Amino acid sequence: MEFRVKRAPRIEAEITVPGDKSISHRAVIIAALSNGVCVLRGFLPSEDCLRTVQAMRALGIKIEQPTPELLIVHGKKRFLNPPAADIDCGNSATTMRLLAGLLAGQQFDSRLVGLSTLSRRPMERVITPLRQMGALIVAEGPNESPPLRITGANLRGVEYDSPIASAQVKSALLLAGLFAKGKTTVNEPFVSRNHTELMLNYFLVRTLREGDGGISIFGDQTPESRDFTIPGDISSAAFWLVAAAAQPGGHLLVRHAGLNDTRTTLLGVLIRMGAQVREAIEDVDQIEPRGTVEVTGASLRGTVIQGKEIPQVIDELPILAVAGALASGTTTIRQAQELRVKETDRIAAIAHNLRAMGAQVIELNDGLEIHGRGSLRGARVASFGDHRIAMAFAVAGLFADGETIVQDAQCVHESYPDFGKALDEFMNPKRVRMTTPVISSLTPSRSDEE
Ligand code: S3P
């Protein structure tokens, strides 16, 4: 599958985006550990999140899915069955890392496998601290890479200073900590997204904040079953927010988006670059704040993104790099070496594709320096099998002269299965307004209606 993209007409739209990917994984896992039936609405039925659903089913949890976004999870009070076969995590690193934490403290053995692309992702980051807790994990690939063979063990709480700010590492250790004796503490150099701790708290599991960026959990707690509605994924909204921000006169409202402040740093970056951004939290009842984001576009200017902002915009950096290429002046991204170990080496992929589209880019070890020229030219670009690279460069194509072709774009199914439909709507707003629910309503002028 490929995307063929042409320049977008003026953006004047009101949209919703599918459920948050990070929160969907966590909701399924924690509901499965709870003491009863939990109804999860707004679930993201993407390939990655469905891997987590399949994994929990393989561990003996009944999960009904009457509609793609609705899950009914029958929690079994922390009780899991030994899986009958290997658990296939596909291309989902979140599934593999979180499950490694969950399974390390069970009384049975398990084996986590995935696609060859997942087997190239670093797992040492979760294996090392889990072993400190007493986990018995053998990584069968080179350099501690998957498959992971886990022998059930009795875990003990430890205090771990993580060298990287990673929500997946933190979450793996918190899930292991739930099954460990005593207190497990994770300290990180900068605060990463906090969905696991919030989700645990929502299910009435106590966690403790410790000083700057530390979080603790005591073992032996059982989540209380609750219903939960997953908000829209701000990282999916980011593609359209940047599209509207980079178009002088563009105007976009995103409704029902997750507005957790460990995820909204993107909005501050867009403001720095010159866009007008308003965010209105409309609901905090279910612990994850949600509401509306409004963006009005402008001629963007370059900015610097580094330090503690990096973990909080890590998934938005590909589309922010595109924003940088459309801005005047230089956009610098530093201390973002984590991008090299995502679904692809995102630093190399961004540099390659931006150059193909005529931008001037310097690739740094830990980031990029982008000399914006305010324009791009259409080109044939690669997804590198990475959903966020595919989507970022489809949006770049909305601003390019001529046609842009994004090859191998089927990977968008990992996080945003309907991205292609939404892209079509932005290219042909009138036609699509009637055919797809992704854009719930546009605000057309009167003549559009006739
Ligand atoms: C995620 C955390 C981030 C992010 C990934 C999803 C999560 O990764 O890039 O897409 O759900 O915990 P790291 O925790 O490795 O930084």
Side-chain angles (χ1 to χ4, degrees), residues 40-62:
L40 305 178
R41 297 185 175 82
F43 171 75
L44 172 67
S46 74
E47 280 175 8
D48 278 14
C49 296
L50 289 168
R51 292 288 179 182
T52 295
V53 170
Q54 279 306 111
M56 298 316 294
R57 284 184 177 139
L59 293 164
I61 302 297
K62 179 174 168 193

Side-chain angles (χ1 to χ4, degrees), residues 70-240:
L70 180 63
L71 297 183
I72 304 167
V73 181
H74 297 251
K76 287 206 313 194
K77 236 178 167 171
R78 294 164 50 108
F79 185 81
L80 299 173
N81 291 350
D86 293 347
I87 294 178
D88 188 352
C89 303
N91 201 30
S92 175
T94 313
T95 307
M96 187 171 278
R97 295 190 180 123
L98 269 54
L99 284 186
L102 175 66
L103 293 172
Q106 305 302 321
Q107 296 306 312
F108 54 78
D109 303 345
S110 49
R111 187 165 178 267
L112 299 173
V113 302
L115 293 173
S116 59
T117 40
L118 179 58
S119 294
R120 290 198 286 272
R121 309 280 301 276
M123 292 295 151
E124 178 279 326
R125 54 183 58 196
V126 290
I127 295 174
T128 297
L130 288 171
R131 283 189 186 139
Q132 287 177 18
M133 296 177 75
L136 302 172
I137 304 181
V138 174
E140 296 174 12
N143 304 319
E144 305 282 27
S145 63
L148 305 184
R149 188 177 287 284
I150 301 172
T151 303
N154 293 322
L155 303 185
R156 56 185 175 274
V158 295
E159 175 161 3
Y160 183 67
D161 291 330
S162 177
I164 45 172
S166 161
Q168 295 181 358
V169 171
K170 176 173 61 177
S171 304
L173 299 188
L174 290 176
L175 290 171
L178 199 55
F179 289 85
K181 206 167 158 32
K183 180 178 167 191
T184 300
T185 302
V186 190
N187 301 311
E188 13 178 38
F190 297 125
V191 177
S192 64
R193 61 188 69 185
N194 61 0
H195 303 303
T196 302
E197 42 276 47
L198 290 189
M199 188 66 66
L200 285 164
N201 296 158
Y202 180 74
F203 281 81
L204 303 184
V205 171
R206 289 171 65 97
T207 57
L208 279 176
R209 295 222 142 275
E210 309 261 1
D212 253 9
I215 180 92
S216 297
I217 190 167
F218 287 92
D220 262 347
Q221 302 182 71
T222 303
E224 281 288 324
S225 62
R226 314 271 314 255
D227 297 344
F228 185 75
T229 302
I230 294 153
D233 195 325
I234 189 82
S235 299
S236 297
F239 298 102
W240 313 122

Side-chain angles (χ1 to χ4, degrees), residues 15 17 236-245 252 395 398 416 419 422-423 426:
I15 67 169
V17 285
S236 297
F239 298 102
W240 313 122
L241 292 171
V242 167
L252 178 69
V395 171
L398 296 175
Y416 195 163
F419 178 85
L423 179 67
F426 279 95

Side-chain angles (χ1 to χ4, degrees), residues 20-26 48 93-95 97-98 121-122 125 164-172 188 192-196 235 263 310-316 338-339 341-343 346 387-388 415:
D20 188 280
K21 175 166 167 283
S22 292
I23 300 176
S24 292
H25 285 292
R26 286 147 173 92
D48 278 14
T94 313
T95 307
R97 295 190 180 123
L98 269 54
R121 309 280 301 276
R125 54 183 58 196
I164 45 172
S166 161
Q168 295 181 358
V169 171
K170 176 173 61 177
S171 304
E188 13 178 38
S192 64
R193 61 188 69 185
N194 61 0
H195 303 303
T196 302
S235 299
R263 296 285 298 284
I310 293 296
Q312 308 208 340
V313 285
I314 192 73
D315 290 345
E316 288 74 70
E338 275 294 299
L339 288 180
V341 291
K342 292 293 178 189
E343 283 80 337
R346 285 185 178 161
H387 53 132
R388 296 199 201 276
S415 66

